[in-house]
Amino acid sequence: MRIDIITVLPQLLESPFSASILKRAQTKGLVEVHLHDLRKYSTNKHAQVDDYQYGGGAGMVMALEPVVAAIEDLQGQRNYDEVIYLTPDGTTLDQRMANRLSVQNNLMLLCGHYKGIDERIREHFITKEISIGDYVLSGGELAAAVLADSIIRLIPGVLNDGTSALTDSFQDDLLAPPVYTRPAEYRGWPVPEILLSGNTPAIEEWRHQKALERTQKRRPDLLKRQSSEEGGKI
Ligand code: 6GU
């Protein structure tokens, strides 16, 4: 997979892709992440990438021409499965969306800034608009990092344990069960005995039960969703 990210703040996105799993995914050749500084596409002598909005009012808009130039430059080099605009008024990211995007080849992400982008770009170039939740961030960069992380970790080979992405919270609309590590007893608090039993089927059943209990208690909405939308996960 290849992910191209268009941003006015490439520095902000460098570190999330330079550490841990996202770094290893790139080193292993499983994903390529390319950051594109929108300023490089500005024809303005001050490399300005914002502009006033028609109709007046506070707040600048991302300048139309550099954004279009960046998108078209990349589209001239390869076909993109999706051109995604990160914006708080987009569709809220969930695991299902991450799953679907993880099987694509080329994704372009455009990080929103200021009051956003000219509506005509949304109408004519953007194929998907994604928000990462109902709160406001200073820009789309951190949202793009979150989206890319949620996608990249699902690419086969990225996680060492091939099954671990499947047992994540949300992967089957269940929260993950509790986990324990050494020592078996700490300050008088024991690890549940079943986990020390070596009885794998019983342990699996216990984990499933705990996942159900936890979901019922914390996110009953997920269980409702499961019963009303059986199947069709991808
Ligand atoms: Cl994608 N952008 C901004 N600026 N704020 C957000 C967001 C995106 N998703 C949630 N809040």
Side-chain angles (χ1 to χ4, degrees):
M1 174 185 286
R2 175 179 170 121
I3 301 178
D4 289 279
I5 307 180
I6 302 170
T7 167
V8 294
L9 288 171
Q11 331 83 278
L12 193 53
L13 280 165
E14 273 159 23
S15 76
F17 297 104
S18 309
S20 189
I21 291 170
L22 300 190
K23 179 185 184 178
R24 206 178 57 232
Q26 293 171 87
T27 312
K28 281 186 178 173
L30 298 169
V31 66
E32 276 180 47
V33 178
H34 297 269
L35 304 177
H36 304 276
D37 187 348
L38 188 66
R39 271 173 229 285
K40 300 221 170 94
Y41 290 93
S42 172
T43 50
N44 185 296
K45 70 169 180 245
H46 305 292
Q48 217 172 324
V49 285
D50 60 353
D51 209 340
Y52 294 98
Q53 55 174 315
Y54 277 119
M60 304 294 276
V61 173
M62 290 175 84
L64 185 146
E65 279 157 343
V67 173
V68 171
I71 294 173
E72 288 191 329
D73 179 28
L74 292 170
Q75 282 181 330
Q77 297 171 48
R78 66 196 64 77
N79 287 322
Y80 286 87
D81 301 295
E82 300 285 359
V83 179
I84 298 168
Y85 175 45
L86 280 306
T87 175
D89 62 2
T91 310
T92 310
L93 175 65
D94 62 10
Q95 191 60 43
R96 200 160 306 187
M97 201 186 287
N99 289 346
R100 288 198 187 112
L101 291 170
S102 74
V103 299
Q104 300 294 0
N105 294 316
N106 295 309
L107 299 176
M108 196 191 305
L109 311 187
L110 171 64
C111 303
H113 251 273
Y114 319 115
K115 287 276 173 193
I117 56 173
D118 190 293
E119 191 66 19
R120 291 165 292 184
I121 301 175
R122 298 173 73 152
E123 288 167 5
H124 298 287
F125 293 96
I126 301 299
T127 62
K128 231 182 216 334
E129 302 183 321
I130 297 179
S131 157
I132 63 162
D134 290 341
Y135 42 81
V136 180
L137 302 170
S138 320
E141 283 74 18
L142 297 180
V146 167
L147 174 63
D149 184 301
S150 75
I151 294 169
I152 292 169
R153 61 191 300 289
L154 295 171
I155 297 170
V158 168
L159 297 185
N160 284 329
D161 176 355
T163 62
S164 74
L166 294 174
T167 55
D168 287 338
S169 279
F170 294 108
Q171 196 52 262
D172 46 12
D173 282 342
L174 283 181
L175 301 183
V179 293
Y180 297 85
T181 185
R182 292 186 299 176
E185 185 165 321
Y186 181 71
R187 296 188 176 178
W189 308 322
V191 167
E193 227 176 280
I194 180 91
L195 296 177
L196 312 176
S197 70
N199 183 344
T200 310
I203 291 170
E204 282 312 303
E205 179 48 36
W206 180 88
R207 286 184 171 146
H208 183 66
Q209 204 50 44
K210 288 291 170 193
L212 274 175
E213 281 169 22
R214 183 162 275 194
T215 311
Q216 184 64 257
K217 195 160 169 215
R218 298 182 185 185
R219 293 294 307 275
D221 57 301
L222 294 178
L223 294 174
K224 282 188 203 107
R225 184 157 92 191
Q226 205 170 28
S227 51
S228 64
E229 292 177 29
E230 219 36 79
K233 289 283 151 51
I234 288 215

